[in-house]
Short mmCIF file of all heavy atoms in Angstrom, two decimals:
data_model
loop_
_atom_site.label_atom_id
_atom_site.label_comp_id
_atom_site.label_asym_id
_atom_site.label_seq_id
_atom_site.Cartn_x
_atom_site.Cartn_y
_atom_site.Cartn_z
N GLY A 407 10.00 33.25 -8.65
CA GLY A 407 10.52 32.63 -7.42
C GLY A 407 9.61 31.49 -6.98
O GLY A 407 8.39 31.61 -7.01
N ILE A 408 10.21 30.37 -6.59
CA ILE A 408 9.47 29.18 -6.16
C ILE A 408 9.76 28.99 -4.67
O ILE A 408 10.93 28.88 -4.27
CB ILE A 408 9.90 27.95 -6.97
CG1 ILE A 408 9.71 28.23 -8.46
CG2 ILE A 408 9.11 26.71 -6.56
CD1 ILE A 408 10.47 27.28 -9.36
N TYR A 409 8.71 28.91 -3.85
CA TYR A 409 8.86 28.92 -2.40
C TYR A 409 8.23 27.67 -1.77
O TYR A 409 7.31 27.08 -2.33
CB TYR A 409 8.23 30.19 -1.82
CG TYR A 409 8.82 31.47 -2.38
CD1 TYR A 409 8.27 32.07 -3.50
CD2 TYR A 409 9.94 32.04 -1.79
CE1 TYR A 409 8.82 33.23 -4.03
CE2 TYR A 409 10.49 33.21 -2.31
CZ TYR A 409 9.93 33.80 -3.43
OH TYR A 409 10.48 34.94 -3.96
N ALA A 410 8.74 27.32 -0.58
CA ALA A 410 8.21 26.16 0.15
C ALA A 410 6.82 26.50 0.68
O ALA A 410 6.60 27.59 1.21
CB ALA A 410 9.14 25.78 1.30
N SER A 411 5.91 25.54 0.56
CA SER A 411 4.54 25.76 1.00
C SER A 411 4.33 25.41 2.47
O SER A 411 3.31 25.76 3.05
CB SER A 411 3.57 24.94 0.14
OG SER A 411 3.99 23.59 0.07
N PHE A 412 5.28 24.68 3.09
CA PHE A 412 5.20 24.36 4.51
C PHE A 412 6.59 23.97 5.01
O PHE A 412 7.51 23.77 4.22
CB PHE A 412 4.20 23.22 4.78
CG PHE A 412 4.40 22.00 3.90
CD1 PHE A 412 5.40 21.09 4.16
CD2 PHE A 412 3.57 21.79 2.81
CE1 PHE A 412 5.59 19.98 3.35
CE2 PHE A 412 3.75 20.68 2.00
CZ PHE A 412 4.76 19.78 2.27
N ASP A 413 6.73 23.87 6.34
CA ASP A 413 7.99 23.43 6.94
C ASP A 413 8.20 21.95 6.61
O ASP A 413 7.29 21.13 6.79
CB ASP A 413 7.97 23.62 8.45
CG ASP A 413 7.84 25.07 8.85
OD1 ASP A 413 8.05 25.94 7.98
OD2 ASP A 413 7.52 25.35 10.01
N GLY A 414 9.39 21.61 6.16
CA GLY A 414 9.63 20.21 5.82
C GLY A 414 11.06 19.97 5.38
O GLY A 414 11.97 20.74 5.68
N VAL A 415 11.22 18.86 4.66
CA VAL A 415 12.53 18.43 4.18
C VAL A 415 12.40 18.09 2.69
O VAL A 415 11.39 17.55 2.26
CB VAL A 415 13.03 17.19 4.96
CG1 VAL A 415 14.40 16.76 4.46
CG2 VAL A 415 13.10 17.49 6.45
N VAL A 416 13.44 18.42 1.93
CA VAL A 416 13.44 18.11 0.50
C VAL A 416 13.69 16.61 0.33
O VAL A 416 14.73 16.09 0.71
CB VAL A 416 14.52 18.92 -0.24
CG1 VAL A 416 14.56 18.53 -1.72
CG2 VAL A 416 14.24 20.42 -0.11
N GLN A 417 12.69 15.93 -0.23
CA GLN A 417 12.82 14.49 -0.46
C GLN A 417 13.45 14.19 -1.82
O GLN A 417 14.14 13.17 -1.97
CB GLN A 417 11.43 13.84 -0.40
CG GLN A 417 11.45 12.34 -0.68
CD GLN A 417 10.08 11.72 -0.51
OE1 GLN A 417 9.62 11.55 0.61
NE2 GLN A 417 9.42 11.40 -1.61
N GLN A 418 13.24 15.08 -2.79
CA GLN A 418 13.79 14.85 -4.12
C GLN A 418 14.02 16.17 -4.82
O GLN A 418 13.17 17.05 -4.81
CB GLN A 418 12.84 13.97 -4.93
CG GLN A 418 13.38 13.60 -6.31
CD GLN A 418 12.39 12.77 -7.10
OE1 GLN A 418 11.25 12.57 -6.69
NE2 GLN A 418 12.81 12.26 -8.26
N ARG A 419 15.18 16.30 -5.44
CA ARG A 419 15.46 17.45 -6.30
C ARG A 419 15.25 16.99 -7.74
O ARG A 419 15.85 16.01 -8.19
CB ARG A 419 16.89 17.92 -6.09
CG ARG A 419 17.33 18.97 -7.10
CD ARG A 419 18.73 19.45 -6.82
NE ARG A 419 19.26 20.24 -7.92
CZ ARG A 419 20.39 20.93 -7.87
NH1 ARG A 419 21.11 20.90 -6.78
NH2 ARG A 419 20.80 21.62 -8.91
N ILE A 420 14.39 17.71 -8.49
CA ILE A 420 13.97 17.25 -9.81
C ILE A 420 14.64 18.04 -10.93
O ILE A 420 15.02 17.46 -11.95
CB ILE A 420 12.44 17.33 -9.93
CG1 ILE A 420 11.79 16.47 -8.82
CG2 ILE A 420 11.96 16.87 -11.29
CD1 ILE A 420 10.29 16.60 -8.75
N ALA A 421 14.77 19.35 -10.78
CA ALA A 421 15.31 20.20 -11.85
C ALA A 421 16.73 20.63 -11.53
O ALA A 421 17.18 20.56 -10.39
CB ALA A 421 14.42 21.41 -12.05
N SER A 422 17.43 21.11 -12.56
CA SER A 422 18.82 21.55 -12.42
C SER A 422 18.97 22.96 -13.00
O SER A 422 18.20 23.38 -13.88
CB SER A 422 19.78 20.59 -13.13
OG SER A 422 19.69 19.30 -12.59
N ILE A 423 19.97 23.67 -12.55
CA ILE A 423 20.24 25.03 -13.02
C ILE A 423 20.53 25.00 -14.52
O ILE A 423 21.25 24.13 -15.02
CB ILE A 423 21.42 25.63 -12.24
CG1 ILE A 423 21.04 25.82 -10.77
CG2 ILE A 423 21.85 26.97 -12.85
CD1 ILE A 423 22.17 26.36 -9.92
N GLY A 424 19.96 25.98 -15.24
CA GLY A 424 20.15 26.07 -16.68
C GLY A 424 19.10 25.34 -17.49
O GLY A 424 19.00 25.53 -18.70
N GLU A 425 18.29 24.53 -16.84
CA GLU A 425 17.24 23.78 -17.54
C GLU A 425 16.07 24.70 -17.84
O GLU A 425 15.64 25.49 -16.99
CB GLU A 425 16.81 22.61 -16.66
CG GLU A 425 15.79 21.70 -17.31
CD GLU A 425 15.45 20.53 -16.42
OE1 GLU A 425 16.08 20.39 -15.34
OE2 GLU A 425 14.53 19.75 -16.79
N PHE A 426 15.53 24.61 -19.09
CA PHE A 426 14.35 25.40 -19.44
C PHE A 426 13.11 24.65 -18.98
O PHE A 426 12.89 23.49 -19.34
CB PHE A 426 14.28 25.68 -20.94
CG PHE A 426 13.17 26.62 -21.31
CD1 PHE A 426 13.37 27.98 -21.29
CD2 PHE A 426 11.91 26.14 -21.65
CE1 PHE A 426 12.35 28.86 -21.61
CE2 PHE A 426 10.88 27.00 -21.98
CZ PHE A 426 11.10 28.38 -21.96
N LEU A 427 12.28 25.32 -18.19
CA LEU A 427 11.10 24.70 -17.61
C LEU A 427 9.85 25.33 -18.20
O LEU A 427 9.76 26.55 -18.34
CB LEU A 427 11.09 24.89 -16.09
CG LEU A 427 12.31 24.37 -15.33
CD1 LEU A 427 12.20 24.71 -13.85
CD2 LEU A 427 12.46 22.87 -15.52
N SER A 428 8.88 24.50 -18.52
CA SER A 428 7.59 25.00 -18.94
C SER A 428 6.75 25.32 -17.71
O SER A 428 7.09 24.92 -16.59
CB SER A 428 6.88 23.97 -19.81
OG SER A 428 6.71 22.75 -19.09
N ALA A 429 5.67 26.05 -17.90
CA ALA A 429 4.80 26.39 -16.77
C ALA A 429 4.25 25.12 -16.14
O ALA A 429 3.74 24.23 -16.84
CB ALA A 429 3.66 27.29 -17.24
N GLY A 430 4.37 25.02 -14.82
CA GLY A 430 3.89 23.85 -14.10
C GLY A 430 4.91 22.74 -13.95
O GLY A 430 4.60 21.71 -13.34
N ALA A 431 6.12 22.90 -14.49
CA ALA A 431 7.13 21.86 -14.40
C ALA A 431 7.58 21.68 -12.95
O ALA A 431 7.79 22.66 -12.22
CB ALA A 431 8.33 22.21 -15.27
N PRO A 432 7.75 20.44 -12.47
CA PRO A 432 8.18 20.21 -11.08
C PRO A 432 9.64 20.57 -10.87
O PRO A 432 10.47 20.41 -11.77
CB PRO A 432 7.95 18.70 -10.89
CG PRO A 432 8.07 18.13 -12.26
CD PRO A 432 7.53 19.18 -13.19
N VAL A 433 9.95 21.05 -9.67
CA VAL A 433 11.31 21.45 -9.33
C VAL A 433 11.86 20.60 -8.18
O VAL A 433 13.00 20.14 -8.22
CB VAL A 433 11.36 22.95 -8.96
CG1 VAL A 433 12.73 23.34 -8.45
CG2 VAL A 433 10.99 23.79 -10.16
N ALA A 434 11.05 20.38 -7.14
CA ALA A 434 11.50 19.60 -5.99
C ALA A 434 10.28 19.03 -5.27
O ALA A 434 9.16 19.55 -5.42
CB ALA A 434 12.33 20.45 -5.02
N GLU A 435 10.51 17.97 -4.51
CA GLU A 435 9.45 17.37 -3.71
C GLU A 435 9.77 17.56 -2.23
O GLU A 435 10.88 17.25 -1.79
CB GLU A 435 9.30 15.88 -4.01
CG GLU A 435 8.11 15.24 -3.31
CD GLU A 435 7.88 13.80 -3.72
OE1 GLU A 435 8.60 13.32 -4.62
OE2 GLU A 435 6.98 13.15 -3.14
N ILE A 436 8.81 18.10 -1.49
CA ILE A 436 9.01 18.42 -0.08
C ILE A 436 8.05 17.57 0.76
O ILE A 436 6.89 17.38 0.38
CB ILE A 436 8.76 19.91 0.19
CG1 ILE A 436 9.72 20.76 -0.64
CG2 ILE A 436 8.92 20.25 1.67
CD1 ILE A 436 9.46 22.24 -0.53
N VAL A 437 8.54 17.06 1.88
CA VAL A 437 7.69 16.28 2.79
C VAL A 437 7.76 16.90 4.19
O VAL A 437 8.79 17.43 4.59
CB VAL A 437 8.13 14.80 2.86
CG1 VAL A 437 7.90 14.12 1.53
CG2 VAL A 437 9.59 14.67 3.27
N LYS A 438 6.64 16.83 4.89
CA LYS A 438 6.57 17.28 6.28
C LYS A 438 6.68 16.05 7.17
O LYS A 438 5.87 15.13 7.06
CB LYS A 438 5.26 18.01 6.54
CG LYS A 438 5.13 18.58 7.95
CD LYS A 438 3.84 19.35 8.10
CE LYS A 438 3.71 19.96 9.49
NZ LYS A 438 2.47 20.74 9.64
#
């Protein structure tokens, strides 16, 4: 499970459902 580290807004969605991700791969960018 990947969780938000602080209250904010999603600035960019990077990954899509079904995509195989390696460890450390980015999923979304959040801004406060």
Side-chain angles (χ1 to χ4, degrees):
I408 304 163
Y409 302 91
S411 51
F412 50 78
D413 297 345
V415 181
V416 177
Q417 178 176 286
Q418 183 182 7
R419 171 178 168 171
I420 302 173
S422 300
I423 294 177
E425 183 177 355
F426 186 87
L427 303 176
S428 59
V433 173
E435 186 174 356
I436 301 175
V437 294
K438 183 177 182 179

